[in-house]
Amino acid sequence: MNQAAPWSQAATWLSMPLSLLPPWLISLGAFALAVALALLAHRTAFAIVTRLVSGMDLFWRSLVSRTHGPTRFAVITVALGFAASVSPLSEGQAVLIRQVLLVCFVALVGWIAKTALHVWTTVYLRRFKLDADDNLLARKHVTQTRILQRVGDIAIVIVALSAALMTFDGVRQYGVSLLASAGAAGIVVGLALQPVLKNIFAGIQLAVTQPIRIDDALLVEGEWGNVEEITSTYVVMRLWDWRRMILPLSYFIEKPFQNWTRDNAALIGTVMLYLDYETPIDVLRAKVEEIANGSKLWDRRVVNVQVTDFRQSTMEVRILVSAGTSPRAFDLRCEVREKLIAFLQREHPRSLPRLRAETRSSEPTGPANAAIARHAAE
């Protein structure tokens, strides 16, 4: 008993100043101390974990950095719950704190769900490389996964917000009555959200059917470019001159467009020439094959030269050459044009288009005209 006396006296001495303070100040101090200790503990633990994964690959480092916010929020929520259990709160204050902690818990679950979805998407897409030569399978999976991820993010936010609102009795009763009535208010809301819902369902349809994918080469509204980003409501196209074209998702469901890389990235380029009729086609065909064989852009699949039309003063010659991608096909077409025109100017200048004109001599010719000329001279 003598040994326990000093401890009881110390506890009594420490409790005397606290008893002089108002309960709300004690509760506020308890919450502040809990938040401070939670932040300190999280910072220490996170620094240790960050140091442990510093020597690992990029995935583990990004995983730890990605979970920094949710783990800190979880630690603070737990600390506030502990502080609420030991603080001298009134009944109204306790109800308010429990309501806030419940909303924080719902938000934490939603945040963890979004983080888990992002981590799973990152792990899944690590198997696919968009910078590969044959990236058709990679573009397919990347497009599908990113669209579904955005749809999942929207669904998580909606569910978490609904769950948070349902924790309030008034909002819960209003939501139930509105759902049961299914009256004019529901119709108005449905009509107001029609463009948003239209694009969301279009995004789901694009993810399933995949008429376009990330990095696809498209010809839309007379503009050529690559699909740079597919969001939950719109598509960003990077045009050939670095401009950006923004199109709604519903555009690619309702309107026609050209996809140059739907099944594969290979493409046949066309070069049209208008030459004189004296052009030696066999020599031209041999020169085109020589240019194609000497080019690094040609994929060794298609090279062809054909006379496709005759016009009043020229003939139309169509040259086909194939390449592995649409940018390569465009560069190969330019290379064929430049080298062919230089070859024709140098070796066959008479093959270039020119105008012909027939002139009549002013001197009379032939027997009849000669007689007329003699008669005129007499």
Side-chain angles (χ1 to χ4, degrees), residues 1-19:
M1 296 294 297
N2 295 332
Q3 294 179 354
W7 292 104
S8 60
Q9 293 177 0
T12 304
W13 180 77
L14 291 175
S15 62
M16 288 177 61
L18 294 177
S19 62

Side-chain angles (χ1 to χ4, degrees), residues 10 45 48 57 85 99 112 155 178 181 192 197 199-200 202 213 215 224 258 280 317 322 331 334 342 345 358:
I48 294 174
D57 58 3
S85 63
Q99 184 69 36
I112 292 175
L178 181 61
S181 62
L197 297 177
N199 281 306
I200 291 177
R213 306 182 185 94
D215 205 37
W224 181 87
Q258 296 184 27
V317 180
S322 60
D331 293 338
C334 295
Q345 288 175 347
E358 294 183 0

Side-chain angles (χ1 to χ4, degrees), residues 4-60:
W7 292 104
S8 60
Q9 293 177 0
T12 304
W13 180 77
L14 291 175
S15 62
M16 288 177 61
L18 294 177
S19 62
L20 300 177
L21 298 177
W24 65 267
L25 186 58
I26 297 175
S27 302
L28 184 61
F31 285 125
L33 181 62
V35 171
L37 293 177
L39 290 176
L40 179 61
H42 177 267
R43 180 178 298 180
T44 304
F46 193 80
I48 294 174
V49 175
T50 304
R51 187 175 301 176
L52 290 176
V53 300
S54 60
M56 299 183 181
D57 58 3
L58 179 61
F59 167 73
W60 291 103

Side-chain angles (χ1 to χ4, degrees), residues 38-306:
L39 290 176
L40 179 61
H42 177 267
R43 180 178 298 180
T44 304
F46 193 80
I48 294 174
V49 175
T50 304
R51 187 175 301 176
L52 290 176
V53 300
S54 60
M56 299 183 181
D57 58 3
L58 179 61
F59 167 73
W60 291 103
R61 297 197 304 269
S62 61
L63 176 63
V64 172
S65 63
R66 185 75 182 181
T67 56
H68 178 267
T71 54
R72 181 175 59 184
F73 188 66
V75 171
I76 293 176
T77 303
V78 173
L80 289 177
F82 178 76
S85 63
V86 299
S87 299
L89 299 173
S90 63
E91 184 177 355
Q93 293 173 347
V95 171
L96 178 60
I97 293 299
R98 283 197 297 268
Q99 184 69 36
V100 172
L101 291 177
L102 183 58
V103 173
C104 291
F105 177 76
V106 173
L108 177 61
V109 172
W111 197 350
I112 292 175
K114 285 193 63 177
T115 303
L117 180 61
H118 176 81
V119 171
W120 177 85
T121 303
T122 304
V123 173
Y124 180 75
L125 293 180
R126 291 185 69 193
R127 298 180 294 173
F128 307 102
K129 302 295 183 183
L130 287 175
D131 54 355
D133 293 335
D134 187 8
N135 61 354
L136 177 62
L137 182 63
R139 290 187 288 110
K140 175 181 178 180
H141 285 275
V142 168
T143 302
Q144 192 173 42
T145 304
R146 288 183 178 176
I147 293 178
L148 293 179
Q149 179 190 0
R150 289 186 173 92
V151 174
D153 288 340
I154 294 176
I156 290 172
V157 171
I158 293 175
V159 171
L161 183 59
S162 301
L165 293 177
M166 292 294 288
T167 59
F168 299 92
D169 294 335
V171 177
R172 186 192 308 117
Q173 294 175 359
Y174 177 77
V176 171
S177 62
L178 181 61
L179 183 61
S181 62
I187 298 175
V188 171
V189 171
L191 292 176
L193 294 178
Q194 185 179 2
V196 178
L197 297 177
K198 181 180 179 181
N199 281 306
I200 291 177
F201 285 112
I204 297 175
Q205 187 174 354
L206 285 177
V208 175
T209 60
Q210 291 195 341
I212 61 172
R213 306 182 185 94
I214 296 295
D215 205 37
D216 266 352
L218 306 181
L219 184 63
V220 181
E221 299 289 334
E223 298 282 358
W224 181 87
N226 294 90
V227 178
E228 183 177 49
E229 183 181 3
I230 302 179
T231 69
S232 56
T233 55
Y234 61 88
V235 176
V236 180
M237 276 186 56
R238 183 184 67 253
L239 303 183
W240 64 274
D241 56 356
W242 298 351
R243 289 178 296 151
R244 298 301 191 271
M245 177 182 287
I246 312 298
L247 298 166
L249 286 177
S250 57
Y251 178 93
F252 298 95
I253 302 298
E254 300 173 352
K255 296 185 179 181
F257 60 93
Q258 296 184 27
N259 190 336
W260 292 8
T261 55
R262 178 67 178 88
D263 295 323
N264 54 68
L267 201 66
I268 296 178
T270 305
V271 177
M272 305 299 296
L273 296 179
Y274 298 91
L275 303 174
D276 192 80
Y277 289 106
E278 294 186 6
T279 303
I281 300 300
D282 293 337
V283 175
L284 183 66
R285 183 176 289 110
K287 184 61 178 179
V288 170
E289 293 177 355
E290 177 186 344
I291 295 173
N293 288 319
S295 176
K296 298 179 180 179
L297 303 174
W298 186 46
D299 62 357
R300 314 290 173 180
R301 296 178 63 182
V302 176
V303 57
N304 192 17
V305 177
Q306 292 177 314

